[in-house]
Every structure is written in C-alpha cells, then in structure tokens.
Amino acid sequence: MSNCCNNSDQNHFFPQCRFCYVQGPTGPTGPAGPSGGPTGSTGPTGPTGVTGPTGPTGATGATGATGSAGATPSLAIGTVTTGLPGSAAVATITGVSPNFLLNLTIPQGPTGATGVTGPTGATGVTGPTGSTGPIGATGATGPTGATGVTGPTGATGVTGPTGATGVTGPTGATGVTGPTGATGVTGPTGATGVTGPTGATGVTGPTGPTGPTGPTGATGPTGPTGP
C-alpha cells in the first residue's frame, strides 16, 4: 500500500488515508487457522468444452521382431449326422490346436417326386439250363375233359390199282328191231329280236402333224404375147 498522507484526493475517497503511516517490512506469516467448515456439495458438471485440434501424428515406431512360425493347423471331418427335416444345418469345430475336427449336422431333405420310368433294359443273356430236379410224386388223375370238336374229314385216299379184267361172258342173242318213230312237227320260227341302240360317236383323234412342204414345181411355159 502506498503512502497517502499528502494525497488529498485519496484522503477523500479512502478513509484509511486520514492517517499518515510509513509501510514497514512484511511480518512473518501467521499460524494456519483452524480448518474451515464442512465441504460444500459438489456443483453441477460444467458443459463439455470444445474439442481441441488433433495433434500431429507421432513418428512410426520400430518394426518388432518376427515371431516364430506357428504350427500348421490340420482340419479333418469328424461326425456327420442327419438332422430332422426342416431343421437348420449345424457345423461345429472341436479338437485342440493344431488338430481340429469339423462336425456336421445336415437336415434330411423332403422326399422328391417319383422320377420318370426309365426305358426297359435289353434282355439279358439266357442263363444255362439248370440240372433236372427229382421227379415228383404222381398227381391224382384229373377229371375226363369234354369231348373235343370233330376234326375235318381227311383228304380222299389214293385210288387203288384197277383190278384184272374179268372173263368175257357169252354174247347174248340179238334183240328184235323196234319200229321207226314218226317225224316230229317242225317248230315255228322265232321273232326277230329288237335292234340295239347305236353306240355313241367316238372322240375325234388329234390332228396329225403337218407334213413337210413339197418341192417347188417347174416353171410353166411363157404365154403368147398379146396383140
């Protein structure tokens, strides 16, 4: 604090300037006072400040040492189970590295439509005839069947050879000549039959081709001169 003894303006506005004093040296710090009252409640959190600009990208670090090569994994098929129709397919991998097993559950599909009947295959080669089996016991005699239809008459057999001519008998006596019969009446002449109709005129045949032109005749004599 400055000395304000000779400053009338400060004496007017600041009551402490009504007395003259000379500022002495700063005294020692007094002992700390007792602890204050209870801590007040925490005030509300202030609004988040504006995000500051992104700092420059740092220098790329040194490349680390190459790690040792791991074991090559081995994947084999484990169990394959058929699931219920309409269920979801499931695939799981079990085992311990590097040996793994792939287990599959595949749902059963619906029964497909009956396919078209394929063509009949070619007849196979006839197998060899099997050996004759033992003769079975004679069966009971069946009932007599109905009489069959009479078959057609067979063809006439070949005529047998002519027998030998028998002995000629004696000639009998000549009989009496009978009377000559009367001449019969001549029958009437039949009527002349009706004349048949005249047949239709036939189609005129095509005109034959024109013959070749004959040779030119000789020139006649010159006529007499006129008067």
Side-chain angles (χ1 to χ4, degrees), residues 38-128:
T39 303
S41 59
T42 302
T45 303
T48 304
V50 179
T51 303
T54 303
T57 303
T60 303
T63 303
T66 302
S68 58
T72 302
S74 172
L75 182 62
I77 299 297
T79 60
V80 178
T81 306
T82 300
L84 296 175
S87 61
V90 179
T92 59
I93 296 179
T94 58
V96 179
S97 179
N99 299 316
F100 298 99
L101 293 176
L102 176 60
N103 305 305
L104 300 173
T105 299
I106 302 174
Q108 179 180 357
T111 303
T114 303
V116 179
T117 303
T120 303
T123 303
V125 179
T126 303

Coordinates of all heavy atoms in Angstrom, one line a residue, residues 38-128:
P38 N -17.6 -27.4 7.0 CA -17.8 -28.6 6.1 C -17.7 -28.3 4.6 O -18.1 -27.2 4.2 CB -19.2 -29.1 6.6 CG -19.9 -27.9 7.0 CD -18.8 -27.0 7.7
T39 N -17.3 -29.4 3.9 CA -17.2 -29.2 2.5 C -18.5 -29.1 1.8 O -19.5 -29.8 2.1 CB -16.5 -30.5 1.9 OG1 -15.2 -30.6 2.5 CG2 -16.3 -30.3 0.3
G40 N -18.6 -28.0 1.0 CA -19.9 -27.8 0.4 C -20.2 -28.9 -0.7 O -19.4 -29.7 -1.1
S41 N -21.5 -29.0 -1.1 CA -21.9 -30.0 -2.1 C -21.2 -29.7 -3.4 O -20.9 -28.6 -3.8 CB -23.4 -30.0 -2.2 OG -23.9 -28.8 -2.7
T42 N -21.0 -30.8 -4.1 CA -20.3 -30.7 -5.4 C -21.3 -29.9 -6.4 O -22.4 -30.3 -6.5 CB -20.0 -32.0 -6.0 OG1 -19.1 -32.7 -5.1 CG2 -19.3 -31.9 -7.4
G43 N -20.7 -29.0 -7.1 CA -21.5 -28.2 -8.0 C -21.8 -29.0 -9.3 O -21.2 -30.1 -9.5
P44 N -22.8 -28.6 -10.1 CA -23.1 -29.3 -11.3 C -21.9 -29.4 -12.3 O -21.1 -28.4 -12.3 CB -24.3 -28.6 -11.9 CG -24.1 -27.2 -11.3 CD -23.5 -27.3 -10.0
T45 N -21.9 -30.4 -13.0 CA -20.8 -30.6 -14.0 C -21.0 -29.5 -15.1 O -22.1 -29.3 -15.7 CB -20.9 -32.0 -14.7 OG1 -20.8 -32.9 -13.6 CG2 -19.7 -32.1 -15.7
G46 N -19.9 -28.9 -15.4 CA -20.0 -27.8 -16.4 C -20.1 -28.4 -17.8 O -19.9 -29.6 -18.0
P47 N -20.5 -27.6 -18.8 CA -20.6 -28.1 -20.2 C -19.3 -28.6 -20.7 O -18.2 -28.1 -20.3 CB -21.2 -26.9 -20.9 CG -20.7 -25.8 -20.2 CD -20.7 -26.2 -18.7
T48 N -19.4 -29.6 -21.6 CA -18.1 -30.1 -22.2 C -17.5 -29.1 -23.1 O -18.2 -28.4 -23.9 CB -18.5 -31.4 -23.1 OG1 -19.1 -32.3 -22.3 CG2 -17.2 -32.0 -23.7
G49 N -16.2 -28.9 -22.9 CA -15.5 -27.9 -23.7 C -15.4 -28.3 -25.1 O -15.6 -29.5 -25.5
V50 N -15.0 -27.4 -26.0 CA -14.8 -27.6 -27.4 C -13.6 -28.5 -27.6 O -12.6 -28.4 -26.9 CB -14.6 -26.3 -28.1 CG1 -14.4 -26.6 -29.6 CG2 -15.8 -25.4 -27.9
T51 N -13.8 -29.5 -28.5 CA -12.7 -30.5 -28.7 C -11.5 -29.7 -29.4 O -11.7 -29.0 -30.3 CB -13.1 -31.6 -29.7 OG1 -14.3 -32.2 -29.1 CG2 -12.0 -32.6 -30.0
G52 N -10.4 -30.0 -28.8 CA -9.2 -29.3 -29.3 C -8.7 -29.9 -30.6 O -9.2 -31.0 -31.0
P53 N -7.9 -29.2 -31.3 CA -7.4 -29.7 -32.6 C -6.6 -31.0 -32.4 O -6.0 -31.2 -31.4 CB -6.5 -28.6 -33.2 CG -6.1 -27.9 -31.9 CD -7.2 -27.9 -31.0
T54 N -6.6 -31.9 -33.5 CA -5.9 -33.1 -33.4 C -4.4 -32.8 -33.5 O -3.9 -32.1 -34.3 CB -6.3 -34.0 -34.6 OG1 -7.7 -34.2 -34.6 CG2 -5.6 -35.4 -34.6
G55 N -3.7 -33.5 -32.6 CA -2.3 -33.3 -32.5 C -1.6 -33.9 -33.7 O -2.2 -34.8 -34.4
P56 N -0.4 -33.6 -34.0 CA 0.4 -34.2 -35.2 C 0.6 -35.7 -34.9 O 0.7 -36.1 -33.8 CB 1.7 -33.4 -35.2 CG 1.9 -32.9 -33.8 CD 0.5 -32.7 -33.2
T57 N 0.7 -36.4 -36.1 CA 0.9 -37.8 -36.0 C 2.3 -38.1 -35.5 O 3.3 -37.5 -36.0 CB 0.7 -38.5 -37.4 OG1 -0.6 -38.2 -37.9 CG2 0.9 -40.0 -37.3
G58 N 2.4 -39.0 -34.5 CA 3.7 -39.4 -34.0 C 4.5 -40.2 -35.0 O 4.0 -40.7 -36.0
A59 N 5.8 -40.2 -34.7 CA 6.7 -41.0 -35.6 C 6.4 -42.4 -35.5 O 6.0 -43.0 -34.5 CB 8.1 -40.7 -35.1
T60 N 6.6 -43.1 -36.6 CA 6.3 -44.6 -36.7 C 7.4 -45.3 -35.8 O 8.6 -45.0 -36.0 CB 6.4 -45.1 -38.1 OG1 5.5 -44.4 -38.9 CG2 6.2 -46.6 -38.2
G61 N 6.8 -46.2 -35.0 CA 7.7 -47.0 -34.1 C 8.5 -48.0 -34.9 O 8.2 -48.3 -36.1
A62 N 9.6 -48.5 -34.3 CA 10.4 -49.5 -35.0 C 9.6 -50.8 -35.1 O 8.8 -51.2 -34.3 CB 11.7 -49.7 -34.1
T63 N 9.9 -51.5 -36.3 CA 9.3 -52.8 -36.5 C 9.7 -53.8 -35.5 O 10.9 -54.0 -35.2 CB 9.6 -53.3 -37.9 OG1 9.2 -52.3 -38.9 CG2 8.9 -54.6 -38.2
G64 N 8.7 -54.6 -34.9 CA 9.1 -55.6 -33.9 C 9.7 -56.8 -34.5 O 9.7 -57.0 -35.8
A65 N 10.3 -57.6 -33.7 CA 11.0 -58.8 -34.2 C 9.9 -59.8 -34.7 O 8.8 -59.9 -34.2 CB 11.8 -59.4 -33.1
T66 N 10.3 -60.5 -35.8 CA 9.4 -61.6 -36.4 C 9.2 -62.7 -35.4 O 10.2 -63.2 -34.9 CB 10.0 -62.1 -37.7 OG1 10.2 -61.0 -38.6 CG2 9.0 -63.1 -38.3
G67 N 7.9 -63.0 -35.1 CA 7.7 -64.1 -34.2 C 8.0 -65.5 -34.9 O 8.1 -65.6 -36.1
S68 N 8.1 -66.5 -34.0 CA 8.4 -67.8 -34.5 C 7.1 -68.4 -35.3 O 6.0 -68.0 -35.0 CB 8.7 -68.8 -33.4 OG 7.6 -68.8 -32.4
A69 N 7.4 -69.2 -36.3 CA 6.3 -69.8 -37.1 C 5.4 -70.7 -36.2 O 5.9 -71.6 -35.5 CB 6.9 -70.5 -38.3
G70 N 4.1 -70.5 -36.3 CA 3.2 -71.4 -35.6 C 3.0 -72.7 -36.3 O 3.4 -72.9 -37.5
A71 N 2.4 -73.7 -35.6 CA 2.2 -75.0 -36.2 C 1.1 -74.9 -37.2 O 0.1 -74.1 -37.1 CB 1.8 -76.0 -35.1
T72 N 1.2 -75.6 -38.3 CA 0.2 -75.7 -39.4 C -1.1 -76.4 -38.9 O -1.0 -77.5 -38.5 CB 0.7 -76.4 -40.6 OG1 1.9 -75.7 -41.1 CG2 -0.3 -76.3 -41.8
P73 N -2.2 -75.7 -39.0 CA -3.5 -76.4 -38.5 C -3.9 -77.6 -39.4 O -3.6 -77.5 -40.6 CB -4.5 -75.3 -38.4 CG -4.0 -74.3 -39.5 CD -2.5 -74.4 -39.4
S74 N -4.5 -78.6 -38.8 CA -5.0 -79.7 -39.6 C -6.5 -79.8 -39.3 O -6.9 -79.8 -38.2 CB -4.3 -81.0 -39.1 OG -4.9 -82.1 -39.7
L75 N -7.3 -79.9 -40.4 CA -8.7 -79.9 -40.3 C -9.2 -81.2 -40.9 O -9.0 -81.5 -42.1 CB -9.4 -78.7 -41.0 CG -10.9 -78.7 -40.9 CD1 -11.4 -78.6 -39.4 CD2 -11.5 -77.5 -41.7
A76 N -9.9 -82.1 -40.2 CA -10.4 -83.4 -40.7 C -11.9 -83.4 -40.4 O -12.4 -82.7 -39.5 CB -9.7 -84.5 -40.0
I77 N -12.6 -84.3 -41.1 CA -14.0 -84.4 -40.9 C -14.3 -85.3 -39.7 O -13.7 -86.4 -39.6 CB -14.7 -85.1 -42.2 CG1 -14.5 -84.1 -43.4 CG2 -16.2 -85.3 -41.9 CD1 -15.2 -82.8 -43.2
G78 N -15.1 -84.8 -38.8 CA -15.4 -85.6 -37.6 C -16.7 -86.4 -37.8 O -16.8 -87.3 -38.6
T79 N -17.8 -86.0 -37.1 CA -19.1 -86.7 -37.3 C -19.9 -86.0 -38.3 O -19.9 -84.8 -38.4 CB -19.8 -86.8 -35.9 OG1 -20.1 -85.5 -35.5 CG2 -19.0 -87.6 -34.9
V80 N -20.7 -86.8 -39.0 CA -21.7 -86.3 -40.0 C -23.1 -86.9 -39.6 O -23.2 -88.1 -39.7 CB -21.4 -86.6 -41.4 CG1 -22.4 -86.1 -42.4 CG2 -20.0 -86.0 -41.8
T81 N -24.0 -86.1 -39.1 CA -25.3 -86.5 -38.6 C -26.4 -86.0 -39.5 O -26.3 -84.9 -39.9 CB -25.5 -86.1 -37.2 OG1 -24.4 -86.5 -36.4 CG2 -26.8 -86.7 -36.6
T82 N -27.4 -86.8 -39.7 CA -28.6 -86.4 -40.5 C -29.6 -85.8 -39.5 O -30.1 -86.5 -38.6 CB -29.2 -87.6 -41.2 OG1 -28.2 -88.1 -42.1 CG2 -30.4 -87.1 -42.0
G83 N -30.0 -84.5 -39.7 CA -30.9 -83.9 -38.8 C -32.4 -84.1 -39.3 O -32.6 -84.7 -40.4
L84 N -33.3 -83.7 -38.5 CA -34.7 -83.8 -38.9 C -35.1 -82.9 -40.1 O -34.5 -81.9 -40.2 CB -35.6 -83.4 -37.7 CG -35.5 -84.3 -36.4 CD1 -36.3 -83.8 -35.3 CD2 -35.9 -85.8 -36.8
P85 N -36.1 -83.3 -40.9 CA -36.5 -82.5 -42.0 C -36.9 -81.1 -41.5 O -37.6 -81.0 -40.5 CB -37.6 -83.2 -42.6 CG -37.4 -84.7 -42.2 CD -36.8 -84.6 -40.8
G86 N -36.5 -80.1 -42.2 CA -36.8 -78.7 -41.8 C -36.0 -78.1 -40.8 O -36.1 -76.9 -40.5
S87 N -35.0 -78.8 -40.1 CA -34.2 -78.3 -39.1 C -33.0 -77.5 -39.8 O -32.8 -77.7 -41.0 CB -33.6 -79.4 -38.2 OG -32.9 -80.3 -38.9
A88 N -32.3 -76.7 -39.0 CA -31.2 -75.9 -39.5 C -29.9 -76.8 -39.6 O -29.7 -77.7 -38.7 CB -30.9 -74.7 -38.7
A89 N -29.1 -76.5 -40.6 CA -27.8 -77.2 -40.7 C -26.9 -76.6 -39.6 O -26.9 -75.4 -39.3 CB -27.2 -77.0 -42.0
V90 N -26.0 -77.5 -39.0 CA -25.1 -77.1 -37.9 C -23.7 -77.6 -38.2 O -23.6 -78.7 -38.7 CB -25.6 -77.7 -36.5 CG1 -24.6 -77.2 -35.4 CG2 -27.0 -77.2 -36.2
A91 N -22.7 -76.7 -38.0 CA -21.3 -77.1 -38.2 C -20.6 -76.6 -37.0 O -20.7 -75.4 -36.6 CB -20.8 -76.4 -39.5
T92 N -19.8 -77.5 -36.4 CA -19.0 -77.2 -35.2 C -17.6 -77.7 -35.4 O -17.4 -78.6 -36.2 CB -19.6 -77.8 -33.9 OG1 -19.6 -79.2 -34.1 CG2 -21.0 -77.3 -33.6
I93 N -16.6 -77.0 -34.8 CA -15.2 -77.4 -34.9 C -14.8 -77.7 -33.4 O -14.9 -76.9 -32.5 CB -14.4 -76.3 -35.5 CG1 -14.8 -76.0 -36.9 CG2 -12.9 -76.6 -35.4 CD1 -14.0 -74.9 -37.6
T94 N -14.2 -78.9 -33.3 CA -13.7 -79.4 -32.0 C -12.3 -79.7 -32.1 O -11.7 -79.7 -33.3 CB -14.6 -80.5 -31.5 OG1 -14.5 -81.6 -32.4 CG2 -16.0 -80.2 -31.3
G95 N -11.7 -80.1 -31.1 CA -10.3 -80.5 -31.1 C -9.4 -79.5 -30.5 O -9.8 -78.4 -30.0
V96 N -8.1 -79.8 -30.4 CA -7.1 -78.9 -29.8 C -6.1 -78.6 -30.9 O -5.6 -79.4 -31.7 CB -6.4 -79.6 -28.6 CG1 -5.3 -78.7 -28.0 CG2 -7.4 -80.0 -27.6
S97 N -5.7 -77.3 -31.0 CA -4.8 -76.8 -32.0 C -3.5 -77.6 -31.9 O -3.0 -77.9 -30.8 CB -4.5 -75.3 -31.8 OG -3.5 -74.9 -32.7
P98 N -2.9 -78.0 -33.0 CA -3.3 -77.7 -34.4 C -4.2 -78.7 -35.0 O -4.4 -78.6 -36.2 CB -2.0 -77.6 -35.1 CG -1.2 -78.7 -34.5 CD -1.6 -78.7 -33.0
N99 N -4.8 -79.6 -34.3 CA -5.6 -80.7 -34.9 C -7.1 -80.4 -34.6 O -7.5 -80.4 -33.4 CB -5.2 -82.1 -34.3 CG -3.8 -82.4 -34.6 OD1 -3.3 -82.2 -35.8 ND2 -3.0 -82.9 -33.6
F100 N -7.9 -80.1 -35.6 CA -9.3 -79.8 -35.4 C -10.1 -80.8 -36.2 O -9.7 -81.4 -37.2 CB -9.5 -78.4 -36.0 CG -8.8 -77.3 -35.3 CD1 -7.6 -76.8 -35.8 CD2 -9.2 -76.8 -34.0 CE1 -6.9 -75.8 -35.1 CE2 -8.5 -75.8 -33.4 CZ -7.3 -75.3 -33.9
L101 N -11.4 -80.9 -35.7 CA -12.4 -81.8 -36.3 C -13.6 -80.9 -36.7 O -14.1 -80.1 -35.9 CB -12.8 -82.9 -35.4 CG -11.8 -84.0 -35.1 CD1 -12.3 -85.0 -34.0 CD2 -11.3 -84.7 -36.3
L102 N -14.1 -81.1 -38.0 CA -15.3 -80.4 -38.4 C -16.5 -81.4 -38.3 O -16.5 -82.4 -39.0 CB -15.1 -80.0 -39.9 CG -16.3 -79.3 -40.5 CD1 -16.8 -78.1 -39.8 CD2 -16.1 -79.0 -42.0
N103 N -17.4 -81.1 -37.4 CA -18.6 -81.9 -37.2 C -19.8 -81.3 -37.9 O -20.1 -80.1 -37.7 CB -18.9 -82.1 -35.7 CG -17.7 -82.6 -35.0 OD1 -17.1 -83.7 -35.4 ND2 -17.2 -81.9 -34.0
L104 N -20.6 -82.1 -38.7 CA -21.7 -81.5 -39.5 C -23.0 -82.2 -39.1 O -23.0 -83.4 -38.9 CB -21.4 -81.7 -41.0 CG -20.2 -81.0 -41.5 CD1 -20.0 -81.5 -43.0 CD2 -20.3 -79.5 -41.4
T105 N -24.1 -81.4 -39.0 CA -25.4 -81.9 -38.9 C -26.2 -81.4 -40.1 O -26.4 -80.2 -40.2 CB -26.1 -81.5 -37.6 OG1 -25.3 -82.0 -36.5 CG2 -27.5 -82.1 -37.5
I106 N -26.6 -82.3 -41.0 CA -27.3 -81.9 -42.2 C -28.7 -82.3 -42.2 O -29.0 -83.5 -42.0 CB -26.6 -82.5 -43.5 CG1 -25.1 -82.0 -43.5 CG2 -27.3 -82.0 -44.8 CD1 -24.3 -82.7 -44.5
P107 N -29.7 -81.4 -42.3 CA -31.1 -81.8 -42.2 C -31.5 -82.7 -43.4 O -31.0 -82.5 -44.5 CB -31.9 -80.5 -42.2 CG -30.9 -79.6 -42.9 CD -29.6 -80.0 -42.5
Q108 N -32.4 -83.7 -43.1 CA -32.9 -84.5 -44.2 C -33.8 -83.7 -45.1 O -34.7 -83.0 -44.6 CB -33.6 -85.7 -43.6 CG -34.2 -86.7 -44.6 CD -34.9 -87.8 -43.9 OE1 -35.0 -87.9 -42.7 NE2 -35.5 -88.7 -44.7
G109 N -33.6 -83.9 -46.4 CA -34.4 -83.2 -47.3 C -35.8 -83.9 -47.6 O -35.9 -85.0 -47.2
P110 N -36.7 -83.1 -48.1 CA -38.1 -83.8 -48.4 C -38.0 -84.8 -49.4 O -37.0 -84.8 -50.3 CB -38.9 -82.6 -48.8 CG -37.9 -81.6 -49.4 CD -36.7 -81.8 -48.6
T111 N -38.9 -85.8 -49.4 CA -38.9 -86.8 -50.4 C -39.2 -86.2 -51.8 O -40.2 -85.5 -52.0 CB -39.9 -87.9 -50.1 OG1 -39.7 -88.4 -48.8 CG2 -39.9 -89.0 -51.1
G112 N -38.3 -86.5 -52.8 CA -38.5 -86.0 -54.1 C -39.7 -86.7 -54.8 O -40.1 -87.8 -54.4
A113 N -40.1 -86.1 -55.9 CA -41.2 -86.7 -56.7 C -40.7 -87.9 -57.4 O -39.5 -88.0 -57.7 CB -41.7 -85.6 -57.8
T114 N -41.6 -88.8 -57.7 CA -41.2 -90.1 -58.4 C -40.7 -89.8 -59.8 O -41.3 -89.0 -60.5 CB -42.4 -91.0 -58.5 OG1 -42.9 -91.3 -57.2 CG2 -42.0 -92.3 -59.1
G115 N -39.5 -90.3 -60.1 CA -38.9 -90.0 -61.4 C -39.6 -90.7 -62.5 O -40.4 -91.7 -62.3
V116 N -39.3 -90.3 -63.7 CA -39.9 -91.0 -64.9 C -39.4 -92.4 -65.0 O -38.2 -92.6 -64.8 CB -39.6 -90.1 -66.1 CG1 -40.2 -90.8 -67.4 CG2 -40.1 -88.7 -66.0
T117 N -40.2 -93.3 -65.4 CA -39.8 -94.7 -65.5 C -38.8 -94.8 -66.7 O -39.1 -94.3 -67.8 CB -41.0 -95.6 -65.8 OG1 -42.0 -95.5 -64.7 CG2 -40.6 -97.1 -65.9
G118 N -37.7 -95.4 -66.4 CA -36.7 -95.5 -67.4 C -37.1 -96.5 -68.5 O -38.0 -97.3 -68.3
P119 N -36.4 -96.5 -69.6 CA -36.7 -97.5 -70.7 C -36.4 -98.9 -70.2 O -35.5 -99.1 -69.4 CB -35.8 -97.0 -71.8 CG -34.6 -96.3 -71.1 CD -35.2 -95.7 -69.9
T120 N -37.1 -99.9 -70.8 CA -36.8 -101.3 -70.5 C -35.5 -101.7 -71.0 O -35.1 -101.4 -72.1 CB -37.9 -102.1 -71.2 OG1 -39.2 -101.7 -70.7 CG2 -37.7 -103.6 -70.8
G121 N -34.7 -102.2 -70.1 CA -33.4 -102.6 -70.5 C -33.4 -103.8 -71.5 O -34.4 -104.5 -71.6
A122 N -32.3 -104.0 -72.1 CA -32.1 -105.1 -73.1 C -32.3 -106.4 -72.4 O -31.9 -106.6 -71.2 CB -30.8 -105.0 -73.8
T123 N -32.8 -107.4 -73.1 CA -33.0 -108.8 -72.5 C -31.6 -109.4 -72.2 O -30.7 -109.3 -73.1 CB -33.7 -109.7 -73.5 OG1 -35.0 -109.0 -73.8 CG2 -34.0 -111.0 -72.8
G124 N -31.4 -109.8 -71.0 CA -30.2 -110.4 -70.7 C -29.9 -111.7 -71.3 O -30.8 -112.4 -71.9
V125 N -28.7 -112.2 -71.3 CA -28.3 -113.4 -71.9 C -29.0 -114.6 -71.1 O -29.1 -114.5 -69.9 CB -26.8 -113.6 -71.9 CG1 -26.4 -114.9 -72.5 CG2 -26.1 -112.5 -72.6
T126 N -29.5 -115.6 -71.9 CA -30.2 -116.7 -71.2 C -29.2 -117.5 -70.4 O -28.1 -117.9 -71.0 CB -30.9 -117.6 -72.3 OG1 -31.8 -116.8 -73.0 CG2 -31.6 -118.7 -71.6
G127 N -29.5 -117.7 -69.2 CA -28.5 -118.5 -68.4 C -28.5 -120.0 -68.7 O -29.4 -120.4 -69.5
P128 N -27.6 -120.7 -68.3 CA -27.5 -122.1 -68.6 C -28.7 -122.8 -67.9 O -29.2 -122.4 -66.9 CB -26.2 -122.5 -68.0 CG -26.0 -121.5 -66.8 CD -26.5 -120.2 -67.3

